[in-house]
Amino acid sequence: MLPTLRRKLEALAERREELERLLSDPATVADQARFRALSHEFSQLEPLSTALADERRTLDDLEAARTLLDDPDMREMAQEEIAAADARLEALEAKLLALLVPRDARDEGGLYLEIRAGTGGDEAAIFAGDLFRMYSRYAERQGWRIDVESASPGEHGGYREIIASVDGAGAYARLKFESGTHRVQRVPETESQGRIHTSAATVAIIPVEDDTVDIVLNPADLKVDTFRSSGAGGQHVNKTDSAIRITHVPTGVVVESQTERSQHANRDKAMKRLRAMLAEAEAERRAAATAEIRKLQVGSGDRSQRIRTYNYPQGRITDHRVEGLTLYDLPNVLEGNVDALVDRLSQEHQADALAALTRGT
């Protein structure tokens, strides 16, 4: 391990000891907000502290085994213990490096899922509906709550656009790499010649408002329009202007909400999503200032700007951001079993972050 990385580990270990002292201070206990913040930081450093303790014990075991090498009767056993200790140290070093990767404070929170039909007309809208169903089923399996905020159905099924909130622990961490253009290759139901068509839909994953980004909205910058809801909701729908559309004039960001029965509730939902979108834009701007490459982009919805291809004739899914990431399990994935993709993308992200750490960046 590089000396610079070892110093970072030591600094974090010292910080944990400092937190332990602070948390036992009556003044800290009396300030509940500070106590919660420090407790959260302490819990995040606990795995690192445990791994460092394991490393120290393993180093002691290794040293003890080496002292037995000169004893002919114990040499064979000592060599086995040395080999086992070396293997444990290698695994612990990998674990410690992984724990050094900065955590995204938004990972534990929820998100907004936005899916829009791209190139391909009616078939693109149908595919957007398939994607929404896939993510909905995945959310249900994870025990997350998913609520549709607004939707524009396609003429022959699916959606021209659908926006939903996903609320659950770790939701953003699991789905944040789904942003981008998704391409489908299949024979549409309306195709009489049996020809394979290529269509696309875009997916955007936006975390709920990040508390670390201070978003101040000037009422003068907001254009608020009301209109009649078009979805399900009983006799109240289509009879009052309860739906809300808010435009943030300086950036051109537009949000809508039409699923609640009252205009006030829809406005609250729209404002919450607007703040999240502006916070995400600010976070991306900050990251772009230091990042060499931004891999995940939503793009325009053009077929050429794809992150993933769903090939129905071959039952194949290929993620184009990771070499060799191809699954021949399309029906199962479309039923919401996306963990194989999510896990590989998360591992790839961690590997990139570790590479950046070892380069000293």
Side-chain angles (χ1 to χ4, degrees):
M1 185 183 297
L2 293 173
T4 53
L5 298 181
R6 177 60 63 178
R7 285 195 292 271
K8 288 180 181 179
L9 286 170
E10 291 169 354
L12 290 172
E14 291 173 3
R15 174 58 178 168
R16 182 193 170 277
E17 292 177 1
E18 180 186 9
L19 288 170
E20 194 168 21
R21 291 192 298 270
L22 288 171
L23 288 170
S24 62
D25 187 335
T28 302
V29 177
D31 185 344
Q32 286 301 300
R34 184 166 185 251
F35 184 80
R36 283 194 298 271
L38 294 178
S39 295
H40 180 67
E41 185 182 355
F42 182 84
S43 66
Q44 288 189 318
L45 291 176
E46 191 63 22
L48 183 140
S49 177
T50 300
L52 284 172
D54 289 344
E55 184 186 49
R56 284 192 295 271
R57 282 193 296 271
T58 304
L59 286 169
D60 290 341
D61 293 343
L62 180 61
E63 186 63 28
R66 284 172 174 166
T67 62
L68 299 176
L69 286 174
D70 293 333
D71 186 336
D73 296 331
M74 304 294 290
R75 183 177 298 126
E76 184 176 349
M77 183 185 73
Q79 290 172 338
E80 292 176 358
E81 290 184 359
I82 289 171
D86 283 337
R88 286 201 304 273
L89 285 173
E90 185 176 346
L92 283 167
E93 180 170 319
K95 184 176 182 178
L96 286 166
L97 284 173
L99 290 169
L100 272 179
V101 175
R103 290 175 57 85
D104 189 333
R106 305 169 297 177
D107 276 354
E108 292 305 311
L111 58 96
Y112 292 103
L113 168 66
E114 302 184 354
I115 303 176
R116 296 178 176 85
T119 306
D122 291 335
E123 173 63 10
I126 293 170
F127 178 51
D130 294 338
L131 289 175
F132 179 70
R133 179 174 175 271
M134 178 181 76
Y135 291 124
S136 296
R137 295 210 164 185
Y138 182 65
E140 290 169 3
R141 287 190 172 92
Q142 300 298 315
W144 302 333
R145 177 179 174 179
I146 183 164
D147 293 316
V148 174
E149 302 260 324
S150 65
S152 298
E155 292 184 9
H156 297 281
Y159 300 97
R160 294 193 300 273
E161 175 185 277
I162 183 165
I163 298 169
S165 62
V166 181
D167 184 24
Y172 180 66
R174 296 298 290 168
L175 293 180
K176 62 184 177 182
F177 300 119
E178 293 300 297
S179 287
T181 298
H182 297 237
R183 183 178 69 168
V184 63
Q185 296 171 328
R186 64 185 176 189
V187 180
E189 294 180 5
T190 55
E191 171 57 57
S192 58
Q193 303 296 321
R195 292 173 297 187
I196 296 174
H197 286 223
T198 300
S199 305
T202 63
V203 175
I205 303 295
I206 300 170
V208 294
E209 185 182 354
D210 183 3
D211 292 337
T212 64
V213 180
D214 186 20
I215 298 298
V216 178
L217 293 178
N218 185 346
D221 292 337
L222 304 179
K223 181 175 180 286
V224 181
D225 298 306
T226 60
F227 59 99
R228 293 190 178 183
S229 301
S230 57
Q235 61 182 358
H236 183 79
V237 171
N238 296 321
K239 293 188 177 181
T240 63
D241 291 338
S242 60
I244 289 287
R245 180 185 298 111
I246 301 177
T247 304
H248 186 246
V249 177
T251 61
V253 173
V254 179
V255 295
E256 293 181 1
S257 181
Q258 57 178 306
T259 56
E260 300 298 324
R261 296 187 56 172
S262 78
Q263 187 180 112
H264 179 73
N266 279 322
R267 182 186 176 94
D268 285 347
K269 273 193 167 185
M271 286 294 291
K272 183 178 179 182
R273 190 155 61 86
L274 176 61
R275 287 180 178 277
M277 292 178 72
L278 294 177
E280 172 68 356
E282 175 62 15
E284 288 183 1
R285 185 191 67 78
R286 293 179 183 180
T290 56
E292 296 175 3
I293 296 175
R294 184 170 180 262
K295 284 186 176 180
L296 305 178
Q297 297 177 340
V298 172
S300 65
D302 186 273
R303 286 188 294 253
S304 63
Q305 296 182 322
R306 83 275 189 195
I307 63 163
R308 189 177 296 156
T309 295
Y310 302 72
N311 184 293
Y312 275 67
Q314 298 178 17
R316 167 175 56 82
I317 294 181
T318 299
D319 196 293
H320 305 287
R321 296 165 294 180
V322 179
E323 184 177 355
L325 182 45
T326 296
L327 303 177
Y328 289 89
D329 195 21
L330 180 60
N332 194 37
V333 171
L334 289 172
E335 285 298 314
N337 298 299
V338 300
D339 278 324
L341 290 167
V342 169
D343 289 342
R344 180 65 186 279
L345 290 166
S346 296
Q347 291 165 6
E348 198 73 15
H349 169 70
Q350 186 177 73
D352 289 344
L354 284 173
L357 272 177
T358 55
R359 289 197 305 266
T361 59

Coordinates of all heavy atoms in Angstrom, one line a residue, residues 65-98:
A65 N 4.7 -16.5 13.7 CA 4.9 -17.7 12.9 C 6.4 -17.7 12.4 O 7.0 -18.7 12.3 CB 4.0 -17.7 11.8
R66 N 6.9 -16.5 12.0 CA 8.2 -16.4 11.5 C 9.3 -16.8 12.5 O 10.4 -17.3 12.2 CB 8.5 -15.0 11.0 CG 7.8 -14.7 9.7 CD 7.9 -13.2 9.3 NE 7.4 -13.0 7.9 CZ 7.1 -11.8 7.5 NH1 7.3 -10.7 8.2 NH2 6.6 -11.6 6.2
T67 N 9.0 -16.5 13.8 CA 9.9 -16.9 14.9 C 10.1 -18.4 15.0 O 11.1 -18.9 15.6 CB 9.5 -16.3 16.2 OG1 8.3 -16.9 16.6 CG2 9.4 -14.8 16.1
L68 N 9.1 -19.2 14.4 CA 9.2 -20.6 14.6 C 9.9 -21.3 13.4 O 10.0 -22.5 13.4 CB 7.7 -21.2 14.6 CG 6.9 -20.7 15.8 CD1 5.5 -21.3 15.7 CD2 7.6 -21.2 17.2
L69 N 10.3 -20.5 12.4 CA 10.9 -21.1 11.2 C 12.2 -21.8 11.5 O 12.6 -22.7 10.8 CB 11.1 -20.0 10.1 CG 9.9 -19.5 9.4 CD1 10.2 -18.3 8.5 CD2 9.3 -20.6 8.6
D70 N 12.9 -21.3 12.5 CA 14.2 -21.9 12.9 C 14.1 -23.2 13.7 O 15.1 -23.9 13.9 CB 15.0 -20.9 13.7 CG 15.5 -19.7 12.9 OD1 15.6 -19.9 11.7 OD2 15.6 -18.6 13.5
D71 N 12.9 -23.6 14.1 CA 12.6 -24.8 14.8 C 12.2 -25.9 13.8 O 11.2 -25.8 13.2 CB 11.5 -24.6 15.8 CG 11.3 -25.8 16.7 OD1 11.7 -26.9 16.3 OD2 10.7 -25.6 17.8
P72 N 13.1 -26.9 13.6 CA 12.8 -28.0 12.6 C 11.4 -28.6 12.8 O 10.8 -29.0 11.9 CB 13.9 -29.0 12.8 CG 15.0 -28.2 13.4 CD 14.4 -27.2 14.3
D73 N 11.0 -28.8 14.1 CA 9.8 -29.5 14.4 C 8.6 -28.6 14.1 O 7.5 -29.1 13.9 CB 9.7 -29.9 15.8 CG 10.8 -30.9 16.2 OD1 11.2 -31.7 15.3 OD2 11.3 -30.9 17.3
M74 N 8.8 -27.3 14.0 CA 7.6 -26.4 13.8 C 7.7 -25.7 12.5 O 6.7 -25.0 12.2 CB 7.7 -25.3 14.9 CG 7.6 -25.8 16.4 SD 6.1 -26.7 16.7 CE 5.0 -25.3 16.8
R75 N 8.7 -26.0 11.7 CA 8.9 -25.2 10.5 C 7.7 -25.4 9.5 O 7.2 -24.4 8.9 CB 10.2 -25.6 9.8 CG 10.5 -24.8 8.5 CD 11.8 -25.2 7.9 NE 12.9 -24.9 8.8 CZ 13.8 -25.7 9.2 NH1 13.7 -27.0 8.8 NH2 14.7 -25.4 10.0
E76 N 7.3 -26.6 9.3 CA 6.2 -26.9 8.3 C 4.9 -26.1 8.8 O 4.2 -25.5 7.9 CB 5.9 -28.4 8.2 CG 4.9 -28.7 7.1 CD 4.7 -30.2 7.0 OE1 5.6 -31.0 7.5 OE2 3.7 -30.6 6.3
M77 N 4.6 -26.3 10.1 CA 3.4 -25.6 10.5 C 3.5 -24.1 10.4 O 2.6 -23.3 10.0 CB 3.1 -25.9 12.0 CG 1.8 -25.3 12.6 SD 1.6 -25.7 14.3 CE 2.8 -24.5 15.0
A78 N 4.7 -23.6 10.7 CA 5.0 -22.1 10.6 C 4.8 -21.6 9.2 O 4.2 -20.6 8.9 CB 6.4 -21.8 11.1
Q79 N 5.3 -22.4 8.2 CA 5.2 -22.0 6.8 C 3.7 -22.0 6.4 O 3.3 -21.1 5.6 CB 5.9 -23.0 5.9 CG 7.4 -22.9 6.1 CD 8.2 -24.0 5.3 OE1 7.6 -25.1 5.0 NE2 9.5 -23.7 5.0
E80 N 2.9 -22.9 6.9 CA 1.4 -22.9 6.6 C 0.8 -21.6 7.2 O -0.1 -21.0 6.6 CB 0.8 -24.1 7.1 CG 1.2 -25.4 6.4 CD 0.6 -26.6 7.0 OE1 -0.1 -26.5 8.1 OE2 0.8 -27.7 6.5
E81 N 1.2 -21.3 8.5 CA 0.6 -20.1 9.1 C 1.0 -18.8 8.4 O 0.2 -17.9 8.3 CB 1.0 -20.1 10.6 CG 0.3 -21.2 11.4 CD 0.7 -21.1 12.9 OE1 1.4 -20.2 13.2 OE2 0.2 -21.9 13.7
I82 N 2.3 -18.8 8.0 CA 2.7 -17.6 7.2 C 2.0 -17.4 5.9 O 1.5 -16.3 5.6 CB 4.3 -17.7 7.0 CG1 5.0 -17.6 8.3 CG2 4.7 -16.7 5.9 CD1 6.5 -17.9 8.1
A83 N 1.7 -18.5 5.2 CA 1.0 -18.4 3.9 C -0.4 -18.0 4.2 O -1.0 -17.1 3.5 CB 1.0 -19.8 3.2
A84 N -1.1 -18.5 5.3 CA -2.4 -18.1 5.6 C -2.5 -16.6 6.0 O -3.4 -15.9 5.6 CB -3.0 -19.0 6.7
A85 N -1.5 -16.2 6.8 CA -1.4 -14.8 7.3 C -1.2 -13.8 6.1 O -1.8 -12.8 6.0 CB -0.3 -14.6 8.3
D86 N -0.3 -14.2 5.1 CA -0.1 -13.4 4.0 C -1.4 -13.2 3.1 O -1.7 -12.2 2.6 CB 1.0 -14.0 3.1 CG 2.4 -13.8 3.7 OD1 2.5 -12.8 4.4 OD2 3.3 -14.6 3.3
A87 N -2.2 -14.3 3.0 CA -3.4 -14.3 2.3 C -4.4 -13.4 3.0 O -5.1 -12.6 2.3 CB -4.0 -15.7 2.1
R88 N -4.5 -13.4 4.3 CA -5.4 -12.6 5.1 C -5.0 -11.1 4.9 O -5.9 -10.2 4.8 CB -5.4 -13.0 6.5 CG -6.2 -14.3 6.8 CD -6.6 -14.4 8.3 NE -5.5 -14.2 9.2 CZ -4.7 -15.2 9.6 NH1 -4.9 -16.5 9.1 NH2 -3.7 -15.0 10.5
L89 N -3.7 -10.8 5.0 CA -3.2 -9.5 4.8 C -3.6 -8.9 3.4 O -3.9 -7.7 3.3 CB -1.7 -9.4 5.1 CG -1.3 -9.5 6.5 CD1 0.3 -9.6 6.6 CD2 -1.8 -8.3 7.3
E90 N -3.4 -9.7 2.4 CA -3.8 -9.3 1.1 C -5.3 -8.9 1.0 O -5.6 -7.9 0.4 CB -3.4 -10.3 0.1 CG -3.6 -9.9 -1.4 CD -3.2 -11.0 -2.4 OE1 -2.5 -11.9 -2.0 OE2 -3.5 -10.9 -3.6
A91 N -6.1 -9.8 1.6 CA -7.5 -9.5 1.5 C -7.9 -8.3 2.4 O -8.7 -7.5 2.0 CB -8.3 -10.7 2.1
L92 N -7.2 -8.1 3.5 CA -7.5 -7.0 4.4 C -7.0 -5.6 3.7 O -7.7 -4.6 3.9 CB -6.8 -7.1 5.7 CG -7.5 -8.1 6.7 CD1 -6.5 -8.4 7.8 CD2 -8.8 -7.5 7.2
E93 N -5.9 -5.7 3.0 CA -5.5 -4.5 2.3 C -6.5 -4.1 1.2 O -6.8 -2.9 1.1 CB -4.1 -4.7 1.6 CG -3.6 -3.5 0.9 CD -2.2 -3.6 0.4 OE1 -1.4 -4.2 1.2 OE2 -1.9 -3.2 -0.7
A94 N -7.1 -5.0 0.5 CA -8.1 -4.7 -0.5 C -9.3 -4.1 0.2 O -9.9 -3.2 -0.3 CB -8.5 -6.0 -1.3
K95 N -9.7 -4.7 1.3 CA -10.8 -4.2 2.1 C -10.6 -2.8 2.6 O -11.5 -1.9 2.5 CB -11.1 -5.1 3.3 CG -12.4 -4.7 4.1 CD -12.7 -5.7 5.1 CE -13.9 -5.4 5.9 NZ -14.2 -6.4 6.9
L96 N -9.4 -2.5 3.1 CA -9.1 -1.2 3.6 C -9.0 -0.1 2.5 O -9.5 1.0 2.6 CB -7.7 -1.2 4.3 CG -7.7 -1.9 5.7 CD1 -6.3 -2.1 6.1 CD2 -8.4 -1.0 6.7
L97 N -8.5 -0.5 1.3 CA -8.5 0.4 0.2 C -10.0 0.7 -0.2 O -10.3 1.9 -0.5 CB -7.8 -0.2 -1.0 CG -6.3 -0.2 -0.9 CD1 -5.7 -1.0 -2.0 CD2 -5.7 1.2 -0.9
A98 N -10.8 -0.3 -0.2 CA -12.2 -0.1 -0.6 C -12.9 0.9 0.4 O -13.7 1.7 0.0 CB -13.0 -1.4 -0.6

